[in-house]
Structures are given as structure tokens and as C-alpha cells.
Amino acid sequence: MSLAAFAGRRLASAAVLLAVLSALVFAATAVLPGDAVSAVAGVDASETQRAEVRAELGLDRPAAERYADWAAGAVRGDLGRGFVGDRPVTEVLATRLPNSLLLAGLTLAVTAPLALLLGLWTGMRGGAADRLVSTTAQVLAAVPEFVMAALLVAVLAVWLELLPRVSVVPLGGTPLDVPHALVLPVLTLSAVGLAVATRLLRVSVADAVTTPYAEAARLNGVRGVRLAVRHVLPNAAGPAVQALTLTTGALVGSAVVVENVFDYPGIGRELQLAVAARDIPMVQGIATALAAVMLLVLLAGDICARLLNAREGHRR
């Protein structure tokens, strides 16, 4: 199968999966207790006022009809307006999603090289170093994100007073205006990402070390950096890309928690506020956008891995 056909099939599958996920998100929000009427009309509103607001928001219509209207608008690029604040969902995404992508990008910039070095070191050496790093990665992976965040805040913000406890961004500004506010969220996500990526990369490297090409190189006296660069890395490149792609997926879920812990102005924070207010259009739009980003990342990872595997097979 050609690369274009492969990418086309994966893209079509991603589109179908995105449609299914959007329907599941809508169904999940529809069965949650309560609705956005209290947030819009106020807790002291009479039943008549609440009924009027419910009709104005369209919540008196069947759920299937509301989802069909939303889906038709989404195809045209219109994700609707939030119930609370009457903000266009696309405007919120344009404001908040870049902040979340910045946080994820910085985290990957820290995580990827460290995970690659640790994965190479442990996968090629084995022994005590492998056990130490693997055990540490397992411990880090077992620690919930909010616990890791609390530990870092206690040490770096409260005890040492080196960093702010929350990521306060000036009104109308961006996180880059206060780069020190990014440190704690990035460190928290990096601990989670490093634990996942190191373990996956270690397995890829260990498998690459046992290939006939690596074994033959070792028998010919190739050792150390030369063995890693010329024989191990090329064989592990495809699985390594997929490992980093899976790490990115783990970071998406973790970022929602971390953004709320540090009050970071990202899309995860907006999602939590929308869920609390039962703001169905906002929840629907944000969740669908996050799913689309994740599916695109997975698609890009699959294509890169296929290219690397094909190039390695040709080189052999």
C-alpha cells in the first residue's frame, strides 16, 4: 500500500472515530444531572423563568435533534455558542488552545530528549541501571498528576519560594509574557511524560539491540555511541516515534488536570469550567477539538513511523 493510500485510510478512520466520539460526548453531557439553566437564570429564578431560559437555550428540544443541529454546524466550522456568557466556542478555542499547545510543546521538548537518552542507556546496558530507571519510571507513572503538582508546589513554591504557586497570566497577555509561570506545569507534565516515554523507548531499544544487524555489528567490535547511532537507533526509530506519540496522548489527559491545579489559562481549564456549568455546546466543542488534535497527532505518528520503517527496510 502506498503512503498516500495509507494516510487516506487512516484519515477516513479518524473522521469516523471523531464523529463517534462527538456523539458519545454529547450523550454523556445530556445524561448528567442538572443543566445550564441555573447558571444562566440564577438559582433564585422561578419555574416560569427557568422554563423560558430552557426554551431560549433549546434545552426543551429532543437531544437527538440538538445533536443533529450541532453536527451540521460543526461540518461548516460553526461549533455554536456557549450557554454561559454567550461566547462563540471557536473564539474560546482560538484563545485557549494555543496556550495548551504551548504547554504540550514545551513538555515534549523536555521529555523527548531525556526519554531517548534514558531509553538508549537502559535498553542497551541492562543490569542495575535498567532496574533503577525502570523502577523510578514505574513510581512516577503511579503518582497522580495532582499529587505530583502538589509536591512540586510544596518544594519549589512554598519551601524554596522559587516559583509562583499558580500560572497567573496578565489580562490580554500570553503565558510567554510570564515564562516563570510555565515552569511548574511543564515540570509536572514532564514527570508524567518521561515515565511513560522512557518505559516504551526502553522496550524499543532492547528489541533493536537483539536484531541480527546489531548482533553482527557487536561481533565486529562496534560498541558504544557508534553502535547506538548506526545500528540501534535506526531499528528503533519507528517504534520510538510511536512511543512518543502515545506519550503525547497521555499528556493530553494529564494537561486537563494540571491546568486546573495551576489555574493555567488553557483549554483544559475551560473544559472543567464548562462541565461544572453544564455548558453543553462548550463541552461538546472543546472535547471534539481535543479529540481532533489527538487523532491528528496519532495519524502523524503512524505516517512518520511508516516512513522510517520503510526507509530502514530499504537500507537493509
Side-chain angles (χ1 to χ4, degrees):
M1 183 188 300
S2 68
L3 182 62
F6 173 80
R9 288 184 59 180
R10 288 301 178 93
L11 189 59
S13 299
V16 173
L17 182 57
L18 185 62
V20 172
L21 288 174
S22 70
L24 290 176
V25 170
F26 187 87
T29 54
V31 300
L32 285 175
D35 53 30
V37 173
S38 297
V40 176
V43 294
D44 297 327
S46 65
E47 284 302 320
T48 301
Q49 291 172 324
R50 292 174 65 86
E52 290 176 353
V53 171
R54 184 172 286 107
E56 182 182 346
L57 297 178
L59 294 174
D60 58 338
R61 301 162 58 204
E65 182 180 330
R66 287 187 280 125
Y67 175 74
D69 287 347
W70 178 89
V75 172
R76 299 191 302 268
D78 180 11
L79 296 176
R81 304 179 73 91
F83 291 156
V84 181
D86 195 33
R87 297 176 298 168
V89 177
T90 52
E91 181 180 301
V92 174
L93 288 172
T95 303
R96 299 303 189 188
L97 188 57
N99 293 343
S100 295
L101 295 178
L102 172 64
L103 185 61
L106 291 174
T107 301
L108 285 175
V110 173
T111 302
L114 286 175
L116 183 60
L117 290 174
L118 289 173
L120 276 173
W121 185 44
T122 56
M124 293 183 65
R125 287 177 61 90
D130 184 15
R131 290 192 295 272
L132 175 63
V133 174
S134 297
T135 302
T136 303
Q138 289 176 348
V139 171
L140 288 176
V143 177
E145 296 86 349
F146 69 90
V147 174
M148 181 64 67
L151 290 173
L152 290 174
V153 167
V155 175
L156 298 177
V158 178
W159 181 30
L160 298 178
E161 298 182 352
L162 295 176
L163 297 166
R165 303 183 190 186
V166 294
S167 302
V168 178
V169 176
L171 185 63
T174 70
L176 291 176
D177 296 330
V178 280
H180 57 279
L182 286 161
V183 177
L184 282 177
V186 169
L187 285 178
T188 304
L189 287 174
S190 295
V192 177
L194 188 62
V196 175
T198 299
R199 295 170 67 186
L200 293 173
L201 287 171
R202 183 261 171 205
V203 173
S204 299
V205 171
D207 289 341
V209 168
T210 60
T211 60
Y213 303 96
E215 292 283 359
R218 238 190 335 261
L219 291 174
N220 289 324
V222 180
R223 294 287 187 275
V225 176
R226 187 181 176 191
L227 176 65
V229 172
R230 296 195 60 180
H231 300 280
V232 175
L233 272 179
N235 286 284
V241 169
Q242 292 177 322
L244 292 175
T245 302
L246 292 174
T247 302
T248 304
L251 291 177
V252 170
S254 301
V256 175
V257 176
V258 171
E259 287 182 5
N260 282 282
V261 170
F262 293 106
D263 201 19
Y264 181 82
I267 204 65
R269 176 68 174 155
E270 287 291 338
L271 178 60
Q272 189 273 333
L273 294 174
V275 171
R278 301 296 187 268
D279 192 342
I280 295 177
M282 194 65 70
V283 173
Q284 185 79 9
I286 292 175
T288 302
L290 288 175
V293 170
M294 191 61 249
L295 289 172
L296 287 175
V297 170
L298 293 174
L299 175 62
D302 287 343
I303 292 175
C304 289
R306 187 177 177 88
L307 282 171
L308 290 170
N309 289 335
R311 183 175 300 175
E312 179 58 22
H314 179 73
R315 186 180 70 86
R316 290 173 183 175

